[in-house]
Amino acid sequence: MLDAGLKAQLATYLGRVTQPVALVSSLDDRPASQEMRALLEEIAALSDKITVRHDGTHERRPSFSVGRAGHDAGVRFAAVPLGHEFSSLVLALLHAGGHPPKVEAEVIEQVRSLAPESGDLVFETWMSLTCHNCPDVVQALNLMAVLNPRVRHVAIDGALFQAEVEARQIMAVPTVFLNGQPFGSGRMELADILAKVDTGAAAREAAKLAAKEPFDMLIVGGGPAGAAAAVYAARKGIRTGVVAERFGGQTLDTLGIENYVSVPETTGPKFAAALEAQVRGYGVDLMNQQRVTRLEPAADAGGGVTVELANGATLRARSLVLAPGARWRNVGVPGEQEYRNRGVAYCPHCDGPLFKGKRVAVIGGGNSGVEAAIDLAGMVEHVTLVEFAEQLKADAVLVDKLGSLANVAVHVNAQTTEILGDGAKVTGLVFKDRASGEGHRVPLAGVFVQIGLVPNTEWLRGTVELTRHGEIVVDERGATNLPGVFAAGDATTVPFKQIVIAAGQGAKAALSAFDHLIRSPAAAVA
């Protein structure tokens, strides 16, 4: 199953395994079982530390466990983990085989210290092999299961277990269940999961953050703009911090990046990982998984600023760069929030496979909407694209490609008015012809929303000047209306929301903030 190049690369990785690892499969007569058997035997042949057996008795078939030989295995794949999940399998083998994870020592200790009074933590992650957000969740939970015998995890390919998908009404991936009950959906990192299962973690983290000394420059946001600002600030030799709700920002939700100068092709998660590695390499204090809720400007130009976090902690800084980014725009019609992750989705690459052979709709006729429709058309029965404007706004080459697809219907000058459901999942979409006023009801199983972005600036209202669209007003230097406060990226008035533009604006904002610092009196931060 693995080509020669991949085998050679895998053999090199498996050379880091120091403890014996056992792979135990539970198979049936489906073709996927034969694929799983072949994959596991190929892996075992690459290392004398790995053994494989096919006499497992687990009720979910096909599946296999990964664990230290002679110990109860806490990691299981109910999947043939290729595609995006191949890296999850490799990491599970390495960690079970004694190779140390690239995680801070205090996080490892936090995982090992989990001792839930209610019993073991049994996680199930429903994923698809084409989902680029799923591996982060799978890898985090696998690591927890390797480090703590009270934690168990199984990663389940929804395409192999359609009956379970229907029974649990899973309409988006990744979806995580804990001890049989819904735990969370969408991209989650290890810190997110620990925050939910370790009830004392938030208070400990807030106390640690509140004790930090003031920063020379603090950046709010960890997307390309925030990362670039952090690198440029740190290179000046000043005390620099980044506080981010999700380091990587929108790039984490981007499947392919092919227009960043000097990088011909990469994926969003890889790009985000590279950003983080460079920021950490400069010694920046990176405070991830933290949401900022309030900005308190100084009474005078030299007094610095204070930001308040959702956990109650406050951070102080002599200068501030705002790079909070943006999020998917909602349609704002009845049914959208009620059926979010139950048929209403925002990532066709992640959730598209769950709708294989079904009818879906795409709302939005720009590049993202048309690309989504083209992508979905290859896996679903039919796609209905609904665009509010009188014509599609996507590039001509995309529109031409869309028009060549027999299983796509396009409705322009059409206003979505409602997303229908039966209480459990989406059943249809209602739109109105804006010219005639005639209403149309389309029966379908999923709705993919692709209508642009909204800046994450609600918490800034009343402090920083914003446009009526919520964008931060900046000048040619990235300065806001507040002394010492600068801004960059998709949340600002700078036109064209592109990664390369955001990175350039982040660098400019940091240089402007540094110029402000060297021209300001070295006053103590209040």
mmCIF file of all heavy atoms in Angstrom, residues 384-425:
data_model
loop_
_atom_site.group_PDB
_atom_site.id
_atom_site.type_symbol
_atom_site.label_atom_id
_atom_site.label_comp_id
_atom_site.label_asym_id
_atom_site.label_seq_id
_atom_site.Cartn_x
_atom_site.Cartn_y
_atom_site.Cartn_z
ATOM 1 N N THR A 384 -26.723 22.322 -5.152
ATOM 2 C CA THR A 384 -27.467 23.534 -5.498
ATOM 3 C C THR A 384 -26.687 24.732 -4.989
ATOM 4 O O THR A 384 -26.439 24.842 -3.782
ATOM 5 C CB THR A 384 -28.868 23.532 -4.861
ATOM 6 O OG1 THR A 384 -29.615 22.420 -5.354
ATOM 7 C CG2 THR A 384 -29.613 24.818 -5.185
ATOM 8 N N LEU A 385 -26.248 25.610 -5.875
ATOM 9 C CA LEU A 385 -25.514 26.804 -5.467
ATOM 10 C C LEU A 385 -26.446 28.004 -5.507
ATOM 11 O O LEU A 385 -27.110 28.252 -6.525
ATOM 12 C CB LEU A 385 -24.310 27.036 -6.375
ATOM 13 C CG LEU A 385 -23.374 28.171 -5.936
ATOM 14 C CD1 LEU A 385 -21.923 27.852 -6.273
ATOM 15 C CD2 LEU A 385 -23.746 29.517 -6.557
ATOM 16 N N VAL A 386 -26.494 28.756 -4.409
ATOM 17 C CA VAL A 386 -27.378 29.911 -4.277
ATOM 18 C C VAL A 386 -26.531 31.157 -4.073
ATOM 19 O O VAL A 386 -25.749 31.239 -3.121
ATOM 20 C CB VAL A 386 -28.351 29.731 -3.091
ATOM 21 C CG1 VAL A 386 -29.275 30.938 -2.983
ATOM 22 C CG2 VAL A 386 -29.158 28.448 -3.245
ATOM 23 N N GLU A 387 -26.682 32.138 -4.971
ATOM 24 C CA GLU A 387 -25.912 33.379 -4.901
ATOM 25 C C GLU A 387 -26.865 34.572 -4.866
ATOM 26 O O GLU A 387 -27.770 34.682 -5.684
ATOM 27 C CB GLU A 387 -24.961 33.494 -6.088
ATOM 28 C CG GLU A 387 -24.410 34.890 -6.361
ATOM 29 C CD GLU A 387 -23.650 35.472 -5.164
ATOM 30 O OE1 GLU A 387 -23.015 34.704 -4.416
ATOM 31 O OE2 GLU A 387 -23.722 36.700 -4.969
ATOM 32 N N PHE A 388 -26.637 35.481 -3.922
ATOM 33 C CA PHE A 388 -27.502 36.639 -3.737
ATOM 34 C C PHE A 388 -27.394 37.623 -4.903
ATOM 35 O O PHE A 388 -28.406 38.208 -5.328
ATOM 36 C CB PHE A 388 -27.144 37.340 -2.427
ATOM 37 C CG PHE A 388 -28.040 38.493 -2.070
ATOM 38 C CD1 PHE A 388 -29.242 38.270 -1.401
ATOM 39 C CD2 PHE A 388 -27.682 39.797 -2.386
ATOM 40 C CE1 PHE A 388 -30.071 39.332 -1.060
ATOM 41 C CE2 PHE A 388 -28.504 40.861 -2.053
ATOM 42 C CZ PHE A 388 -29.708 40.629 -1.388
ATOM 43 N N ALA A 389 -26.198 37.815 -5.423
ATOM 44 C CA ALA A 389 -25.991 38.798 -6.495
ATOM 45 C C ALA A 389 -26.578 38.288 -7.818
ATOM 46 O O ALA A 389 -26.985 37.137 -7.947
ATOM 47 C CB ALA A 389 -24.511 39.094 -6.651
ATOM 48 N N GLU A 390 -26.587 39.180 -8.812
ATOM 49 C CA GLU A 390 -27.176 38.834 -10.097
ATOM 50 C C GLU A 390 -26.287 37.938 -10.944
ATOM 51 O O GLU A 390 -26.727 37.427 -11.968
ATOM 52 C CB GLU A 390 -27.524 40.119 -10.864
ATOM 53 C CG GLU A 390 -28.603 40.950 -10.187
ATOM 54 C CD GLU A 390 -28.973 42.181 -10.994
ATOM 55 O OE1 GLU A 390 -28.358 42.390 -12.064
ATOM 56 O OE2 GLU A 390 -29.867 42.938 -10.556
ATOM 57 N N GLN A 391 -25.032 37.776 -10.554
ATOM 58 C CA GLN A 391 -24.149 36.867 -11.270
ATOM 59 C C GLN A 391 -23.095 36.337 -10.300
ATOM 60 O O GLN A 391 -22.859 36.919 -9.232
ATOM 61 C CB GLN A 391 -23.473 37.563 -12.449
ATOM 62 C CG GLN A 391 -22.591 38.746 -12.054
ATOM 63 C CD GLN A 391 -22.021 39.446 -13.270
ATOM 64 O OE1 GLN A 391 -22.465 39.217 -14.382
ATOM 65 N NE2 GLN A 391 -21.015 40.284 -13.056
ATOM 66 N N LEU A 392 -22.475 35.228 -10.651
ATOM 67 C CA LEU A 392 -21.426 34.663 -9.825
ATOM 68 C C LEU A 392 -20.225 35.597 -9.802
ATOM 69 O O LEU A 392 -19.885 36.221 -10.800
ATOM 70 C CB LEU A 392 -21.012 33.290 -10.361
ATOM 71 C CG LEU A 392 -22.104 32.213 -10.365
ATOM 72 C CD1 LEU A 392 -21.558 30.916 -10.949
ATOM 73 C CD2 LEU A 392 -22.643 31.971 -8.963
ATOM 74 N N LYS A 393 -19.567 35.688 -8.649
ATOM 75 C CA LYS A 393 -18.453 36.616 -8.486
ATOM 76 C C LYS A 393 -17.095 35.929 -8.560
ATOM 77 O O LYS A 393 -16.061 36.570 -8.404
ATOM 78 C CB LYS A 393 -18.592 37.325 -7.134
ATOM 79 C CG LYS A 393 -19.843 38.196 -7.041
ATOM 80 C CD LYS A 393 -20.065 38.717 -5.641
ATOM 81 C CE LYS A 393 -20.520 37.613 -4.698
ATOM 82 N NZ LYS A 393 -20.864 38.105 -3.351
ATOM 83 N N ALA A 394 -17.097 34.631 -8.793
ATOM 84 C CA ALA A 394 -15.849 33.867 -8.836
ATOM 85 C C ALA A 394 -15.080 34.136 -10.126
ATOM 86 O O ALA A 394 -15.620 34.688 -11.088
ATOM 87 C CB ALA A 394 -16.152 32.374 -8.704
ATOM 88 N N ASP A 395 -13.827 33.717 -10.138
ATOM 89 C CA ASP A 395 -12.999 33.848 -11.334
ATOM 90 C C ASP A 395 -13.625 33.072 -12.492
ATOM 91 O O ASP A 395 -14.239 32.020 -12.296
ATOM 92 C CB ASP A 395 -11.591 33.306 -11.065
ATOM 93 C CG ASP A 395 -10.849 34.117 -10.016
ATOM 94 O OD1 ASP A 395 -11.241 35.270 -9.776
ATOM 95 O OD2 ASP A 395 -9.883 33.585 -9.432
ATOM 96 N N ALA A 396 -13.409 33.578 -13.706
ATOM 97 C CA ALA A 396 -14.050 32.995 -14.893
ATOM 98 C C ALA A 396 -13.700 31.523 -15.072
ATOM 99 O O ALA A 396 -14.548 30.708 -15.454
ATOM 100 C CB ALA A 396 -13.648 33.789 -16.129
ATOM 101 N N VAL A 397 -12.454 31.145 -14.776
ATOM 102 C CA VAL A 397 -12.065 29.751 -14.975
ATOM 103 C C VAL A 397 -12.850 28.832 -14.052
ATOM 104 O O VAL A 397 -13.202 27.703 -14.414
ATOM 105 C CB VAL A 397 -10.538 29.578 -14.764
ATOM 106 C CG1 VAL A 397 -10.135 29.916 -13.328
ATOM 107 C CG2 VAL A 397 -10.100 28.182 -15.138
ATOM 108 N N LEU A 398 -13.152 29.312 -12.842
ATOM 109 C CA LEU A 398 -13.942 28.514 -11.905
ATOM 110 C C LEU A 398 -15.400 28.436 -12.347
ATOM 111 O O LEU A 398 -16.035 27.377 -12.247
ATOM 112 C CB LEU A 398 -13.841 29.103 -10.493
ATOM 113 C CG LEU A 398 -12.467 29.070 -9.839
ATOM 114 C CD1 LEU A 398 -12.491 29.796 -8.502
ATOM 115 C CD2 LEU A 398 -11.994 27.636 -9.656
ATOM 116 N N VAL A 399 -15.917 29.544 -12.835
ATOM 117 C CA VAL A 399 -17.308 29.560 -13.309
ATOM 118 C C VAL A 399 -17.468 28.617 -14.496
ATOM 119 O O VAL A 399 -18.461 27.875 -14.591
ATOM 120 C CB VAL A 399 -17.728 30.995 -13.682
ATOM 121 C CG1 VAL A 399 -19.123 31.001 -14.314
ATOM 122 C CG2 VAL A 399 -17.712 31.896 -12.444
ATOM 123 N N ASP A 400 -16.487 28.609 -15.387
ATOM 124 C CA ASP A 400 -16.550 27.702 -16.535
ATOM 125 C C ASP A 400 -16.528 26.246 -16.087
ATOM 126 O O ASP A 400 -17.270 25.407 -16.607
ATOM 127 C CB ASP A 400 -15.379 27.969 -17.479
ATOM 128 C CG ASP A 400 -15.507 29.300 -18.207
ATOM 129 O OD1 ASP A 400 -16.630 29.854 -18.227
ATOM 130 O OD2 ASP A 400 -14.487 29.792 -18.732
ATOM 131 N N LYS A 401 -15.676 25.945 -15.135
ATOM 132 C CA LYS A 401 -15.602 24.573 -14.621
ATOM 133 C C LYS A 401 -16.925 24.170 -13.975
ATOM 134 O O LYS A 401 -17.424 23.052 -14.189
ATOM 135 C CB LYS A 401 -14.464 24.471 -13.610
ATOM 136 C CG LYS A 401 -14.382 23.128 -12.880
ATOM 137 C CD LYS A 401 -14.061 21.988 -13.826
ATOM 138 C CE LYS A 401 -13.887 20.692 -13.056
ATOM 139 N NZ LYS A 401 -13.661 19.534 -13.957
ATOM 140 N N LEU A 402 -17.489 25.085 -13.211
ATOM 141 C CA LEU A 402 -18.769 24.795 -12.557
ATOM 142 C C LEU A 402 -19.847 24.504 -13.593
ATOM 143 O O LEU A 402 -20.651 23.577 -13.433
ATOM 144 C CB LEU A 402 -19.181 25.988 -11.683
ATOM 145 C CG LEU A 402 -20.424 25.796 -10.816
ATOM 146 C CD1 LEU A 402 -20.130 24.824 -9.677
ATOM 147 C CD2 LEU A 402 -20.887 27.136 -10.252
ATOM 148 N N GLY A 403 -19.878 25.289 -14.661
ATOM 149 C CA GLY A 403 -20.886 25.114 -15.685
ATOM 150 C C GLY A 403 -20.778 23.801 -16.436
ATOM 151 O O GLY A 403 -21.746 23.355 -17.073
ATOM 152 N N SER A 404 -19.617 23.144 -16.365
ATOM 153 C CA SER A 404 -19.433 21.872 -17.061
ATOM 154 C C SER A 404 -19.925 20.682 -16.261
ATOM 155 O O SER A 404 -19.936 19.551 -16.756
ATOM 156 C CB SER A 404 -17.949 21.676 -17.396
ATOM 157 O OG SER A 404 -17.197 21.420 -16.214
ATOM 158 N N LEU A 405 -20.341 20.905 -15.017
ATOM 159 C CA LEU A 405 -20.734 19.800 -14.134
ATOM 160 C C LEU A 405 -22.230 19.543 -14.235
ATOM 161 O O LEU A 405 -23.044 20.449 -14.020
ATOM 162 C CB LEU A 405 -20.339 20.115 -12.690
ATOM 163 C CG LEU A 405 -18.843 20.377 -12.468
ATOM 164 C CD1 LEU A 405 -18.578 20.779 -11.027
ATOM 165 C CD2 LEU A 405 -18.017 19.144 -12.839
ATOM 166 N N ALA A 406 -22.586 18.305 -14.537
ATOM 167 C CA ALA A 406 -23.992 17.966 -14.768
ATOM 168 C C ALA A 406 -24.817 17.905 -13.495
ATOM 169 O O ALA A 406 -26.038 18.042 -13.543
ATOM 170 C CB ALA A 406 -24.076 16.618 -15.494
ATOM 171 N N ASN A 407 -24.179 17.710 -12.352
ATOM 172 C CA ASN A 407 -24.940 17.556 -11.117
ATOM 173 C C ASN A 407 -24.918 18.814 -10.249
ATOM 174 O O ASN A 407 -25.000 18.746 -9.027
ATOM 175 C CB ASN A 407 -24.436 16.358 -10.315
ATOM 176 C CG ASN A 407 -22.992 16.523 -9.856
ATOM 177 O OD1 ASN A 407 -22.229 17.269 -10.457
ATOM 178 N ND2 ASN A 407 -22.634 15.824 -8.793
ATOM 179 N N VAL A 408 -24.798 19.981 -10.898
ATOM 180 C CA VAL A 408 -24.816 21.261 -10.183
ATOM 181 C C VAL A 408 -25.879 22.168 -10.793
ATOM 182 O O VAL A 408 -25.939 22.330 -12.009
ATOM 183 C CB VAL A 408 -23.445 21.967 -10.241
ATOM 184 C CG1 VAL A 408 -23.523 23.335 -9.566
ATOM 185 C CG2 VAL A 408 -22.365 21.117 -9.588
ATOM 186 N N ALA A 409 -26.710 22.739 -9.929
ATOM 187 C CA ALA A 409 -27.696 23.744 -10.348
ATOM 188 C C ALA A 409 -27.343 25.072 -9.702
ATOM 189 O O ALA A 409 -27.109 25.130 -8.489
ATOM 190 C CB ALA A 409 -29.102 23.309 -9.946
ATOM 191 N N VAL A 410 -27.296 26.141 -10.493
ATOM 192 C CA VAL A 410 -26.904 27.462 -9.998
ATOM 193 C C VAL A 410 -28.107 28.387 -10.019
ATOM 194 O O VAL A 410 -28.802 28.502 -11.042
ATOM 195 C CB VAL A 410 -25.761 28.046 -10.856
ATOM 196 C CG1 VAL A 410 -25.418 29.462 -10.383
ATOM 197 C CG2 VAL A 410 -24.537 27.147 -10.796
ATOM 198 N N HIS A 411 -28.348 29.081 -8.903
ATOM 199 C CA HIS A 411 -29.431 30.071 -8.808
ATOM 200 C C HIS A 411 -28.823 31.399 -8.377
ATOM 201 O O HIS A 411 -28.350 31.531 -7.243
ATOM 202 C CB HIS A 411 -30.487 29.630 -7.793
ATOM 203 C CG HIS A 411 -31.142 28.322 -8.124
ATOM 204 N ND1 HIS A 411 -32.244 28.234 -8.954
ATOM 205 C CD2 HIS A 411 -30.840 27.058 -7.754
ATOM 206 C CE1 HIS A 411 -32.599 26.965 -9.069
ATOM 207 N NE2 HIS A 411 -31.770 26.224 -8.353
ATOM 208 N N VAL A 412 -28.778 32.383 -9.288
ATOM 209 C CA VAL A 412 -28.286 33.717 -8.960
ATOM 210 C C VAL A 412 -29.471 34.636 -8.684
ATOM 211 O O VAL A 412 -30.617 34.291 -8.958
ATOM 212 C CB VAL A 412 -27.405 34.281 -10.089
ATOM 213 C CG1 VAL A 412 -26.149 33.438 -10.270
ATOM 214 C CG2 VAL A 412 -28.189 34.362 -11.388
ATOM 215 N N ASN A 413 -29.162 35.801 -8.111
ATOM 216 C CA ASN A 413 -30.215 36.751 -7.716
ATOM 217 C C ASN A 413 -31.227 36.050 -6.809
ATOM 218 O O ASN A 413 -32.426 36.248 -6.905
ATOM 219 C CB ASN A 413 -30.922 37.315 -8.950
ATOM 220 C CG ASN A 413 -31.555 38.673 -8.673
ATOM 221 O OD1 ASN A 413 -31.153 39.374 -7.733
ATOM 222 N ND2 ASN A 413 -32.534 39.060 -9.472
ATOM 223 N N ALA A 414 -30.677 35.222 -5.909
ATOM 224 C CA ALA A 414 -31.517 34.393 -5.038
ATOM 225 C C ALA A 414 -31.124 34.633 -3.591
ATOM 226 O O ALA A 414 -29.938 34.647 -3.253
ATOM 227 C CB ALA A 414 -31.361 32.921 -5.395
ATOM 228 N N GLN A 415 -32.106 34.825 -2.744
ATOM 229 C CA GLN A 415 -31.883 35.110 -1.325
ATOM 230 C C GLN A 415 -32.293 33.920 -0.472
ATOM 231 O O GLN A 415 -33.450 33.504 -0.492
ATOM 232 C CB GLN A 415 -32.682 36.344 -0.906
ATOM 233 C CG GLN A 415 -32.517 36.697 0.570
ATOM 234 C CD GLN A 415 -33.339 37.911 0.958
ATOM 235 O OE1 GLN A 415 -34.027 38.496 0.128
ATOM 236 N NE2 GLN A 415 -33.271 38.295 2.217
ATOM 237 N N THR A 416 -31.338 33.375 0.267
ATOM 238 C CA THR A 416 -31.652 32.289 1.196
ATOM 239 C C THR A 416 -32.484 32.843 2.346
ATOM 240 O O THR A 416 -32.105 33.837 2.968
ATOM 241 C CB THR A 416 -30.364 31.659 1.749
ATOM 242 O OG1 THR A 416 -29.577 31.165 0.664
ATOM 243 C CG2 THR A 416 -30.683 30.520 2.706
ATOM 244 N N THR A 417 -33.607 32.210 2.644
ATOM 245 C CA THR A 417 -34.496 32.712 3.695
ATOM 246 C C THR A 417 -34.625 31.772 4.888
ATOM 247 O O THR A 417 -34.978 32.210 5.982
ATOM 248 C CB THR A 417 -35.904 32.979 3.131
ATOM 249 O OG1 THR A 417 -36.407 31.767 2.546
ATOM 250 C CG2 THR A 417 -35.865 34.074 2.077
ATOM 251 N N GLU A 418 -34.317 30.482 4.712
ATOM 252 C CA GLU A 418 -34.453 29.560 5.836
ATOM 253 C C GLU A 418 -33.723 28.254 5.537
ATOM 254 O O GLU A 418 -33.669 27.806 4.390
ATOM 255 C CB GLU A 418 -35.930 29.260 6.118
ATOM 256 C CG GLU A 418 -36.166 28.419 7.370
ATOM 257 C CD GLU A 418 -37.635 28.208 7.672
ATOM 258 O OE1 GLU A 418 -38.476 28.670 6.870
ATOM 259 O OE2 GLU A 418 -37.954 27.571 8.706
ATOM 260 N N ILE A 419 -33.161 27.670 6.590
ATOM 261 C CA ILE A 419 -32.614 26.321 6.518
ATOM 262 C C ILE A 419 -33.541 25.418 7.310
ATOM 263 O O ILE A 419 -33.820 25.672 8.480
ATOM 264 C CB ILE A 419 -31.179 26.268 7.066
ATOM 265 C CG1 ILE A 419 -30.262 27.126 6.184
ATOM 266 C CG2 ILE A 419 -30.672 24.833 7.132
ATOM 267 C CD1 ILE A 419 -28.862 27.293 6.721
ATOM 268 N N LEU A 420 -34.050 24.399 6.651
ATOM 269 C CA LEU A 420 -35.066 23.542 7.242
ATOM 270 C C LEU A 420 -34.437 22.328 7.921
ATOM 271 O O LEU A 420 -33.362 21.871 7.534
ATOM 272 C CB LEU A 420 -36.056 23.073 6.172
ATOM 273 C CG LEU A 420 -36.741 24.169 5.344
ATOM 274 C CD1 LEU A 420 -37.546 23.539 4.218
ATOM 275 C CD2 LEU A 420 -37.628 25.027 6.240
ATOM 276 N N GLY A 421 -35.119 21.795 8.915
ATOM 277 C CA GLY A 421 -34.661 20.595 9.591
ATOM 278 C C GLY A 421 -35.798 19.888 10.287
ATOM 279 O O GLY A 421 -36.914 20.433 10.404
ATOM 280 N N ASP A 422 -35.522 18.669 10.731
ATOM 281 C CA ASP A 422 -36.552 17.872 11.404
ATOM 282 C C ASP A 422 -36.366 17.838 12.915
ATOM 283 O O ASP A 422 -36.940 16.995 13.608
ATOM 284 C CB ASP A 422 -36.579 16.448 10.850
ATOM 285 C CG ASP A 422 -35.244 15.720 11.042
ATOM 286 O OD1 ASP A 422 -34.341 16.281 11.709
ATOM 287 O OD2 ASP A 422 -35.109 14.589 10.536
ATOM 288 N N GLY A 423 -35.538 18.748 13.432
ATOM 289 C CA GLY A 423 -35.244 18.764 14.854
ATOM 290 C C GLY A 423 -33.919 18.120 15.177
ATOM 291 O O GLY A 423 -33.325 18.392 16.226
ATOM 292 N N ALA A 424 -33.455 17.244 14.285
ATOM 293 C CA ALA A 424 -32.189 16.555 14.501
ATOM 294 C C ALA A 424 -31.155 16.926 13.463
ATOM 295 O O ALA A 424 -29.964 17.035 13.769
ATOM 296 C CB ALA A 424 -32.400 15.042 14.505
ATOM 297 N N LYS A 425 -31.583 17.134 12.216
ATOM 298 C CA LYS A 425 -30.640 17.398 11.133
ATOM 299 C C LYS A 425 -31.320 18.205 10.035
ATOM 300 O O LYS A 425 -32.547 18.343 10.004
ATOM 301 C CB LYS A 425 -30.107 16.088 10.565
ATOM 302 C CG LYS A 425 -31.160 15.179 9.982
ATOM 303 C CD LYS A 425 -30.551 13.873 9.517
ATOM 304 C CE LYS A 425 -31.588 12.957 8.848
ATOM 305 N NZ LYS A 425 -32.682 12.598 9.749
#
